[in-house]
Amino acid sequence: MRAALLIVLGLAIGIVGTVFTMNALHERDPLPHAVMHLMAFHAGQLKQELKAQRCDAGTSQHHLVQLQAVSSDIAAAFAGADEDFIKAADKLHAAVNGAVQSAPADCPALAAASKPINEACQSCHEQYR
């Protein structure tokens, strides 16, 4: 009875240790998560501007430029990703470039500029998330 209890206890400790080790190995490269969090922050700020109907040209341009910079890092952050993922990242970067170049000055222009960005994000997340 005592031997069985020690075996079960040893297995439980081994499972817990394995879970902690796997989580530590999974989280050793924070860059992919950081890139996605930054993208979500700036895209969220643009959505809040649209929702509140307070679309300041300077603020919108700032968030779009930041999205442009971060979207250029997706391929490097997700090194080793398959080619379709890299193509989706390039599509997103192109959409952000178009929005930056359009320099939306009001809410309707920001909504039009944001639509391709949101579609690119959504299609990628549906496939890879």
Side-chain angles (χ1 to χ4, degrees):
M1 178 70 178
R2 187 174 188 173
L5 182 62
L6 289 175
I7 289 173
V8 170
L9 182 62
L11 286 172
I13 291 171
I15 289 171
V16 169
T18 301
V19 168
F20 281 124
T21 302
M22 295 303 291
N23 284 337
L25 290 174
H26 178 69
E27 295 296 325
R28 67 180 170 193
D29 186 11
L31 184 59
H33 295 291
V35 167
M36 288 298 124
H37 283 298
L38 282 170
M39 297 274 301
F41 171 75
H42 291 292
Q45 292 298 306
L46 292 171
K47 286 179 185 177
Q48 284 181 356
E49 284 186 33
L50 286 169
K51 186 176 182 181
Q53 290 296 306
R54 294 190 179 147
C55 304
D56 177 59
T59 304
S60 298
Q61 191 67 11
H62 166 74
H63 291 297
L64 288 170
V65 167
Q66 294 302 314
L67 277 173
Q68 183 182 36
V70 176
S71 69
S72 68
D73 292 333
I74 292 174
F78 291 89
D82 65 5
E83 190 174 323
D84 290 336
F85 180 82
I86 301 302
K87 286 180 184 177
D90 290 341
K91 181 180 175 184
L92 171 64
H93 189 64
V96 174
N97 285 340
V100 169
Q101 290 174 357
S102 72
D106 57 9
C107 286
L110 180 59
S114 296
K115 186 176 180 184
I117 296 170
N118 295 336
E119 289 172 354
C121 287
Q122 175 115 10
S123 69
C124 191
H125 281 221
E126 285 175 358
Q127 189 171 6
Y128 293 102
R129 197 169 198 192

